Amino acid sequence: MSSTDFPYADRFPVHRALPERGTPREEVLAEVRQMATEEDAFWETGKCSGTMYSGDHEHYRFLTEAFGMFAHVNVLQRDMCPSATKMEGEIIAMALDLLHAEAVSEGTPCGLVTTGGSGSILHAMLAYREHAAARGRTDVNVVKPETGHPAFDKACHLLGIELRAVPVDPATTVVDPDRVAAAIDDRTVAIVGSACNYGYGTIDPIAALAGLAQERGVGMHVDGCLGGFILPFGEELGYDVPVFDFRLPGVTSISADTHKYGYAFKGSSTVLFRDTALRDAQYFHLPGWTGGKYMSPGIEGSRSGGLLAATWAAMVQLGREGYRTYAADIFDTAEAMKDVVRSYRELRILGSPTFCFSFTSDAFDIYHVADCMRGRGWRFNGQQYPNALHMAVTRPQTRPGVVDSFAVDLAEAVVYAMRKEAAGEQAFSGAIYGGVPGGMSPAAEEFIVSVMDGMLDTELSVPPGS
Ligand SMILES: *Cc1c(COP(=O)(O)O)cnc(C)c1O
């Protein structure tokens, strides 16, 4: 952590204890508004990869209004909020429809609304583990391509599942089904494919993996956290999007984030199952508890009705037409940005990506490009093995002029990178998931822990209790 992580420390009071007397609402709101306005300015230029999927303040105001009406409601108490049942059920139904659950004839498709992509993946992994446990199978494993999201590693870590990561082909960045086949054994409960993966925006050979899953009698989870709400519209628009959903008989679960290209608020995602037997395997109930009969359909206990209301509102308000229009703009913009990258022989796009792509260089360390572009307000996510820059195109990049400034700034950055490389200078940026920290040493464990410590602290170098 550096002082830039605590820019408010000398502008606003730092609270290390509850203030004895409350602060007037207007003052609290003025402080919050100040921070929000300054921070929004960072991405409103359109120069920030991913994260702000909508970027439309009118849309955010609309969601906030829906959120506000149910923010205080606990959806665990359904007798008090039948609206939650309507909205949660319909979010799941709309997501199932989008991912072609109508093609399922041998089961009853269903789903859960979770708090995010990691939550959806965690619930899916729990479902596979419990479904197997009910059939007497323990010590199970899951096989993912190494490009599969760390949420799989985290879920398996938490659930005591062995995770087997299979290398991908460096040329295509996607997994070879034969290598997945070789990693499957009699304790494998599921294999994973991404549509698309976060790092490269490329789509694993889902049809082949689904066929393999069927042949070997294992589950197949498609990670559509990123692509689930945009690839179906890319397919409709005629982009080269292979079938990755329930139309493939071997696909047994799919995660799709409403809080990414579903344009809902952060804290919402869906996980969909081919059949209720799988979803229901992870239900929890404790009928004999002294506090009453307890049950929760997912891992969370109390949940805010606001998130269900805002997610539902986003989906119903946009409709297929709204999502399709946004998808068209995003796919077009991504194509234009990829063309800019392809115009340099020093730069190389990894694999055949979609609306999200990454590029590297064989001529220089690509982080030199990040350094230079950073100075012009760009924020890419840094990748490693090989070093690459990642751009998930979202609505803010579709605004007029953004692709043009990308072209202008990249031209300068390529010249800068050649000069730095020729001078034998080290790039300033380093790879860390979620950002390119400036001027910091590589990701040693101690460093990583200190970054996380800093996220949870009030200020740098202040002794506790002072
Ligand atoms: C974002 C993402 C996840 C994890 O989702 P969170 O919402 O950050 O928890 C998983 N897989 C892919 C492909 C993603 O892009």
Side-chain angles (χ1 to χ4, degrees):
M1 292 272 118
S2 69
S3 60
T4 57
D5 296 306
F6 299 99
Y8 305 114
D10 34 353
R11 291 173 53 193
F12 301 121
V14 177
H15 299 285
R16 291 196 189 83
L18 274 175
E20 180 54 34
R21 281 176 169 226
T23 314
R25 283 180 181 153
E26 320 76 79
E27 267 179 53
V28 174
L29 289 177
E31 188 176 327
V32 172
R33 189 171 297 115
Q34 188 67 32
M35 293 189 279
T37 309
E38 288 177 23
E39 293 176 18
D40 278 346
F42 186 87
W43 58 263
E44 272 166 355
T45 58
K47 294 179 172 182
C48 178
S49 166
T51 191
M52 297 298 161
Y53 291 85
S54 162
D56 173 347
H57 285 285
E58 233 172 273
H59 178 68
Y60 291 150
R61 269 190 292 277
F62 163 68
L63 296 192
T64 302
E65 204 171 328
F67 182 92
M69 289 183 229
F70 286 97
H72 50 285
V73 173
N74 181 1
V75 305
L76 207 52
Q77 272 108 39
R78 289 299 163 98
D79 56 324
M80 291 173 67
C81 56
S83 57
T85 299
K86 171 178 166 60
M87 293 188 287
E88 188 156 32
E90 293 181 9
I91 293 167
I92 294 166
M94 289 186 277
L96 282 168
D97 177 64
L98 187 61
L99 297 168
H100 294 282
E102 82 285 344
V104 176
S105 53
E106 77 293 0
T108 310
C110 62
L112 286 169
V113 175
T114 73
T115 56
S118 301
S120 287
I121 289 166
L122 180 61
H123 282 85
M125 297 301 106
L126 178 61
Y128 286 111
R129 190 191 76 175
E130 293 303 289
H131 189 257
R135 282 150 191 79
R137 294 169 63 213
T138 52
D139 293 329
V140 295
N141 66 64
V142 165
V143 182
K144 77 156 198 176
E146 61 180 336
T147 47
H149 197 275
F152 289 99
D153 302 63
K154 191 196 275 185
C156 289
H157 167 69
L158 292 171
L159 298 171
I161 297 171
E162 180 198 345
L163 183 73
R164 300 181 172 179
V166 173
V168 299
D169 176 344
T172 61
T173 75
V174 299
V175 79
D176 176 352
D178 289 341
R179 298 190 85 147
V180 175
I184 296 175
D185 65 15
D186 56 0
R187 294 199 183 277
T188 302
V189 285
I191 62 174
V192 174
S194 307
C196 51
N197 57 52
Y198 167 87
Y200 304 109
T202 49
I203 303 172
D204 286 313
I206 305 293
L209 292 170
L212 171 66
Q214 265 200 309
E215 188 188 305
R216 300 288 292 270
V218 301
M220 161 89 193
H221 181 86
V222 174
D223 184 8
C225 280
L226 193 59
F229 277 88
I230 185 168
L231 289 176
F233 298 104
E235 181 188 344
E236 278 184 26
L237 291 163
Y239 281 96
D240 184 20
V241 176
V243 172
F244 66 91
D245 55 29
F246 289 118
R247 284 171 287 179
L248 301 171
V251 171
T252 48
S253 58
I254 307 177
S255 45
D257 286 354
T258 37
H259 75 187
K260 288 181 179 158
Y261 292 98
Y263 310 112
F265 278 147
K266 286 286 179 259
S268 121
S269 171
T270 61
V271 56
L272 309 166
F273 299 93
R274 191 171 199 89
D275 188 51
T276 46
L278 192 55
R279 176 191 66 182
D280 296 3
Q282 59 81 53
Y283 280 169
F284 182 81
H285 51 85
L286 190 63
W289 185 45
T290 50
K293 296 193 191 323
Y294 184 91
M295 60 179 167
S296 66
I299 291 170
E300 294 80 23
S302 299
R303 287 187 293 151
S304 168
L307 279 172
L308 287 181
T311 304
W312 180 87
M315 295 171 83
V316 172
Q317 190 267 326
L318 286 168
R320 295 189 72 98
E321 198 179 27
Y323 283 109
R324 196 181 299 114
T325 306
Y326 292 168
D329 288 347
I330 290 170
F331 271 87
D332 281 353
T333 303
E335 289 308 315
M337 291 180 95
K338 286 187 279 185
D339 283 345
V340 171
V341 174
R342 285 191 192 106
S343 70
Y344 294 94
R345 69 190 148 66
E346 297 86 358
L347 301 177
R348 179 161 62 84
I349 289 182
L350 292 151
S352 303
T354 50
F355 56 90
C356 157
F357 64 93
S358 73
F359 59 102
T360 186
S361 172
D362 302 319
F364 42 71
D365 182 353
I366 198 71
Y367 283 143
H368 286 306
V369 168
D371 287 351
C372 182
M373 300 281 281
R374 193 180 163 82
R376 279 155 190 70
W378 290 90
R379 182 184 186 276
F380 302 105
N381 292 46
Q383 307 194 156
Q384 49 191 353
Y385 321 122
N387 284 358
L389 301 183
H390 157 115
M391 183 76 212
V393 178
T394 55
R395 292 197 61 221
Q397 284 86 60
T398 66
R399 293 179 194 169
V402 177
V403 174
D404 293 338
S405 31
F406 178 70
V408 170
D409 295 340
L410 188 63
E412 267 187 60
V414 168
V415 173
Y416 170 94
M418 309 251 263
R419 201 172 60 233
K420 291 286 167 182
E421 192 71 25
E425 283 178 49
Q426 290 279 307
F428 190 62
S429 304
I432 185 168
Y433 180 91
V436 184
M440 294 202 261
S441 56
E445 185 163 1
E446 209 177 308
F447 164 68
I448 296 221
V449 169
S450 77
V451 170
M452 289 192 275
D453 285 348
M455 288 177 185
L456 308 173
D457 209 344
T458 51
E459 209 180 332
L460 192 69
S461 349
V462 175
S466 66

